[in-house]
Amino acid sequence: MRHQYHPLGFEGSRIAQGFWRLQEWGWSAQETLTFIEQCLALGVTTFDHADIYGDYQCEGLFGEALKRKPELRDKMEIVTKCSILLPSEQRPEIKVHRYDYRREHILASVDRSLDNLQCEYIDTLLLHRPSPLMDADEVAQAFDHLFTLGKVKHFGVSNFTPQQFDLLQSRTDAPLIVNQVELSPLALQHFQDGTLDHMQQHAVTPMAWSPFAGGDLFSGQTERTLRVRNVLNELAEALGVSVDQVVVAWLLRHPAGICPVMGSGNIERLQSAVEACQIRLSDDDWFRVLIASQGHDVP
Ligand SMILES: NC(=O)c1ccc[n+]([C@@H]2O[C@H](COP(=O)([O-])OP(=O)(O)OC[C@H]3O[C@@H](n4cnc5c(N)ncnc54)[C@H](OP(=O)(O)O)[C@@H]3O)[C@@H](O)[C@H]2O)c1
């Protein structure tokens, strides 16, 4: 039986907020709720999670906050991920750090995420990392089941190569609408290895994780990072904006339609990223950052 998957692609905000570091922020449920409301007020409605974040605890912290105002649920898009197994006191049955793409694991993981997030559906479920043992037909069955039950609306992947993406897409009727990969001025690989071209070809939304290289762009001291930071500083000064805004504008400038997933819990930093959506970098400026990062001229 074929399933009537929604034909629409990713319908998230231009900028997404990630919650990988939520546990580190040490917030009460009320403080988390305030942050969620501030994000929504800025137009940032897409929230990125994974079952494993914060040693399996971030989804639950978010859910505790959402429980205080359940009416916010339909004003946001929740992305979460499954299938990394992480040995942890929270999950004593896990012995080996590995991946699990068995149907039963995917279904159980989604049920746990729904419980933790205290909501009835996930907007987009991503397979967190590719596994050599992934059986695409079995994953497709899990997708059908989750979609039919209304537990997941859309599906996607993360850290998949174009070939891994195509393999899975060839076995499922569910359109894969996202590939979330590392993209930043210090993470150029997917600009150059065909991953972004493939997404552009298939109208798949690239979500960029660690758009500031996890903060390294601001604090890293390697020769390469200093070189990139120098150029970013020069551009920021010339354009009258901040360095973080140049980075966001650099990602947004790419024609594949990159959605940066911001990682800070500082709302001013998110606001700055949202304002950067108004900046359009010139091709000269875009290439200056690329050249500084790769450390040599283009051919
Ligand atoms: N799919 C995957 O495999 C994967 C992997 C990693 C992450 N992710 C997702 O991507 C999201 C973002 O990742 P990330 O947290 O590494 O993103 P990031 O935005 O690259 O890094 C966040 C870090 O940068 C610092 N920072 C941000 N702006 C700054 C500024 N203007 N000056 C100085 N420091 C600044 C933050 O410090 P403050 O907190 O002090 O602001 C924070 O420590 C995660 O939350 C998660 O949702 C996905």
Side-chain angles (χ1 to χ4, degrees):
M1 171 191 153
R2 289 182 73 83
H3 290 261
Q4 294 302 309
Y5 285 105
H6 306 292
L8 290 174
F10 183 67
E11 293 179 296
S13 49
R14 193 69 186 86
I15 301 270
Q17 175 63 39
F19 285 87
W20 174 30
R21 301 173 192 269
L22 174 58
Q23 197 206 18
E24 293 168 29
W25 300 334
W27 291 342
S28 66
Q30 183 52 50
E31 286 168 321
T32 304
L33 177 63
T34 301
F35 183 72
I36 292 170
E37 290 186 300
Q38 288 170 326
C39 292
L40 294 173
L42 287 173
V44 175
T45 56
T46 301
F47 297 136
D48 187 68
H49 291 272
D51 56 344
I52 56 169
Y53 284 171
D55 197 21
Y56 290 96
Q57 295 180 66
C58 289
E59 284 183 334
L61 293 171
F62 188 93
E64 281 303 314
L66 190 54
K67 190 170 74 172
R68 296 179 161 232
K69 263 203 182 178
E71 66 270 26
L72 294 183
R73 171 63 188 99
D74 292 336
K75 299 186 190 322
M76 63 179 71
E77 304 87 39
I78 294 183
V79 177
T80 196
K81 317 186 190 78
C82 66
S83 290
I84 297 181
L85 300 188
L86 213 54
S88 153
E89 280 182 14
Q90 317 296 326
R91 301 288 304 281
E93 72 281 13
I94 297 175
K95 306 292 180 221
V96 177
H97 181 190
R98 63 177 177 88
Y99 309 129
D100 190 345
Y101 282 106
R102 288 170 309 126
R103 177 180 185 274
E104 67 199 71
H105 174 78
I106 296 172
L107 301 185
S109 182
V110 166
D111 283 342
R112 273 191 300 268
S113 289
L114 290 173
D115 272 358
N116 288 334
L117 293 161
Q118 309 218 22
C119 56
E120 287 173 358
Y121 63 94
I122 288 162
D123 291 275
T124 306
L125 177 71
L126 306 184
L127 306 186
H128 206 152
R129 283 191 175 269
S131 164
L133 296 185
M134 186 184 84
D135 175 342
D137 291 312
E138 192 172 346
V139 172
Q141 284 177 20
F143 284 180
D144 282 352
H145 192 71
L146 291 167
F147 183 78
T148 305
L149 293 179
K151 293 183 178 181
V152 176
K153 292 188 170 180
H154 301 280
F155 299 89
V157 294
S158 180
N159 303 301
F160 271 44
T161 64
Q163 291 85 350
Q164 290 158 343
F165 185 103
D166 286 346
L167 166 61
L168 179 59
Q169 188 63 90
S170 73
R171 303 301 171 90
T172 174
D173 294 330
L176 302 176
I177 62 168
V178 165
N179 189 4
Q180 187 178 121
V181 294
E182 185 179 16
L183 297 167
S184 80
L186 291 178
L188 297 183
Q189 182 190 343
H190 301 308
F191 288 92
Q192 296 165 331
D193 68 1
T195 302
L196 281 174
D197 309 290
H198 178 264
M199 285 193 248
Q200 211 176 327
Q201 181 184 355
H202 295 284
V204 172
T205 296
M207 292 182 83
W209 60 261
S210 294
F212 296 151
D216 249 26
L217 264 177
F218 307 104
S219 56
Q221 292 301 321
T222 66
E223 197 182 311
R224 178 184 180 215
T225 308
L226 293 172
R227 201 168 58 225
V228 172
R229 197 149 68 228
N230 271 342
V231 170
L232 293 173
N233 276 322
E234 283 172 22
L235 295 180
E237 200 175 323
L239 297 167
V241 300
S242 54
V243 170
D244 56 292
Q245 290 182 318
V246 176
V247 176
V248 172
W250 188 80
L251 290 168
L252 297 182
R253 178 68 183 78
H254 194 279
I258 295 169
C259 167
V261 187
M262 313 312 294
S264 173
N266 179 329
I267 198 69
E268 281 81 27
R269 288 183 173 162
L270 186 62
Q271 180 167 5
S272 176
V274 169
E275 287 166 2
C277 294
Q278 305 306 319
I279 304 166
R280 184 175 165 89
L281 282 195
S282 70
D283 293 11
D284 277 357
D285 291 347
W286 197 90
F287 273 96
R288 283 187 64 197
V289 176
L290 179 86
I291 290 163
S293 179
Q294 61 186 18
H296 56 80
D297 207 349
V298 295

